[in-house]
Amino acid sequence: MKSVKTLGQFIIEKQADFPFAKGELSRLLRDIGIAAKIVNREISKAGLIDIIGETDSVNSHGERQKKMDVYANEQFIAALRSGGECCVVASEENDEHILIESEISKHAKYIVAIDPLDGSSNIDVNVSVGTIFSIYRRKSLEGKAILDDVLQKGTEQVAAGYVIYGSSTMLVYTTGKGVNGFTLDPSIGEFCLSHPEIKMPKDGYIYSINEGYYTHFPLGVKKYIKYCQVEDVTTSRPYTSRYTGSMIADIHRNLIKGGIFLYPTTAQYPNGKLRLVYECNPMAFIVEQAGGLASTGYERILDLDVNELHQRSAIFIGSENMVKRAEDFMLAFSSQQPSITQHKQVI
């Protein structure tokens, strides 16, 4: 019978990958795992208790908060506050970063950025949702941590991951040494290694984008969508369109099967809609570690300067060859009247 390796055991085994740490990162990942189990428990019975629907409050983006948004946010902050390894939490649900100044956290050196419940609009209709997290080392050397400690480029992440709450609950994370996935075994209450060393296919056959906004997309995106829909045996087209409205669900599927997820700029969101700190950077780190790419359509996501806590970005993320092809279209059709040479380059 095959032995089971739990998340805790796996983290301890990989401790040697971080000679500068003394177990703090391992404990921090453990704390996130514990909070994820608590959130998963409530999601699994969301229809039975008063935890679906909206609250009377709005988040930092003016969006009406779901009850589960608030619950998940409270649980992750509480776990990080009591764990002692985190000095700052930045959450998509809060206007400002949260300093943790408890006695056990006075020497904490890690910062966590988190989207507590990505895709929460799906919670009422029983579609997969998830949690995205990102971990950085504090840069300031003394006193209280400051905002600049949070506003680090994606290349500075020491770990990132997501939890997907679906038909099974999975935690997928990277510390810059590849990507591993763990499935929650409810019989023992532990995340167990189920997807070791995840590698994203270089090509895929799935594209994920909200085509309802087609008329508002840049010309390069429109041309790429049409490219995906054209029949061509040599490139296995047309591709399959799959979009759930939950970034984690779409990227998780594409990570396993191969594909591309696009959330471009629109007239309403000229800088993109998804948050760079909470969504784009951590997912880009994970996908790159699995062999994929993440881009704005023109430049690498992880190289972007972070100037604001809730900064937005466009994102093209997924299988390497698919993202490169989408970038080709963006470059070729960056003006409204592309040259004949540019047109031939991508068709």
Side-chain angles (χ1 to χ4, degrees):
M1 186 176 182
K2 188 177 178 181
S3 62
V4 173
K5 184 175 291 184
T6 68
L7 175 64
Q9 291 169 331
F10 185 85
I11 289 172
I12 291 171
E13 285 182 10
K14 297 299 180 180
Q15 182 61 42
D17 290 341
F18 303 95
F20 56 81
K22 297 178 181 178
E24 300 99 325
L25 181 59
S26 298
R27 290 191 290 273
L28 185 53
L29 288 167
R30 174 208 62 198
D31 295 337
I32 291 171
I34 291 170
K37 293 177 192 177
I38 296 171
V39 172
N40 175 71
R41 181 190 64 197
E42 297 306 301
I43 288 175
S44 67
K45 57 184 179 181
L48 302 174
I49 58 176
D50 185 27
I51 205 158
I52 59 174
E54 296 179 341
T55 67
D56 294 328
S57 60
V58 295
N59 64 14
S60 57
H61 316 291
E63 301 163 341
R64 182 74 65 180
Q65 288 179 304
K66 296 286 187 179
K67 293 178 182 178
M68 272 304 304
D69 280 323
V70 175
Y71 181 82
N73 192 44
E74 290 172 348
Q75 293 304 314
F76 279 101
I77 291 173
L80 294 168
R81 193 185 299 276
S82 62
E85 309 301 344
C86 179
C87 59
V88 172
V89 179
S91 170
E92 187 182 31
E93 297 299 324
N94 295 94
D95 292 337
E96 306 291 340
H97 62 290
I98 301 167
L99 286 173
I100 298 178
E101 301 181 82
S102 63
E103 182 64 24
I104 62 171
S105 301
K106 62 182 179 182
H107 299 301
K109 63 182 70 171
Y110 289 104
I111 290 146
V112 176
I114 193 160
D115 180 354
L117 203 62
D118 176 73
S120 59
S121 60
N122 285 326
I123 196 75
D124 296 351
V125 292
N126 206 22
V127 175
S128 295
V129 295
T131 296
I132 307 174
F133 63 89
S134 180
I135 301 173
Y136 296 84
R137 283 175 65 87
R138 175 181 173 174
K139 294 293 186 181
S140 59
L141 301 177
E142 56 185 25
K144 296 179 182 179
I146 57 177
L147 181 59
D148 283 348
D149 287 318
V150 185
L151 303 182
Q152 298 185 46
K153 284 186 176 183
T155 51
E156 299 301 307
Q157 293 172 98
V158 297
Y162 63 83
V163 183
I164 181 167
Y165 311 102
S167 55
S168 61
T169 297
M170 279 190 66
L171 186 153
V172 177
Y173 86 98
T174 181
T175 54
K177 304 282 186 178
V179 180
N180 292 279
F182 301 79
T183 300
L184 183 63
D185 182 343
S187 68
I188 61 173
E190 294 284 355
F191 284 104
C192 300
L193 182 63
S194 56
H195 294 67
E197 299 179 7
I198 297 172
K199 297 295 182 186
M200 190 171 206
K202 288 189 176 295
D203 285 294
Y205 59 90
I206 299 170
Y207 71 99
S208 306
I209 187 170
N210 188 346
E211 294 185 65
Y213 293 114
Y214 179 87
T215 58
H216 303 287
F217 291 152
L219 182 59
V221 175
K222 293 179 180 179
K223 293 290 186 180
Y224 180 70
I225 291 173
K226 292 304 180 185
Y227 167 83
C228 292
Q229 295 170 342
V230 170
E231 187 169 353
D232 181 76
V233 176
T234 60
T235 55
S236 300
R237 288 181 287 145
Y239 297 148
T240 299
S241 176
R242 292 286 184 268
Y243 184 78
T244 66
S246 172
M247 181 190 193
I248 287 180
D250 287 319
I251 293 181
H252 178 73
R253 179 192 54 244
N254 294 350
L255 185 68
I256 304 299
K257 295 186 174 183
I260 184 172
F261 173 89
L262 308 96
Y263 212 117
T265 60
T266 62
Q268 185 178 1
Y269 296 102
N271 297 317
K273 184 181 180 183
L274 300 184
R275 265 63 67 164
L276 180 61
V277 173
Y278 311 108
E279 297 166 314
C280 298
N281 271 340
M283 297 307 282
F285 188 27
I286 294 164
V287 166
E288 282 198 5
Q289 282 296 309
L293 293 179
S295 164
T296 63
Y298 300 99
E299 58 185 320
R300 185 187 182 208
I301 288 288
L302 296 181
D303 287 333
L304 296 178
D305 290 326
V306 182
N307 303 309
E308 299 175 13
L309 199 57
H310 299 289
Q311 185 172 329
R312 298 178 187 265
S313 175
I315 189 167
F316 295 57
I317 183 170
S319 295
E320 179 182 350
N321 293 337
M322 297 185 80
V323 173
K324 285 181 177 178
R325 174 64 69 178
E327 287 179 323
D328 287 343
F329 276 89
M330 292 299 290
L331 181 62
F333 296 99
S334 57
S335 69
Q336 291 297 310
Q337 295 179 334
S339 68
I340 294 175
T341 303
Q342 287 175 319
H343 184 75
K344 288 181 177 178
Q345 180 182 348
V346 297
I347 296 304

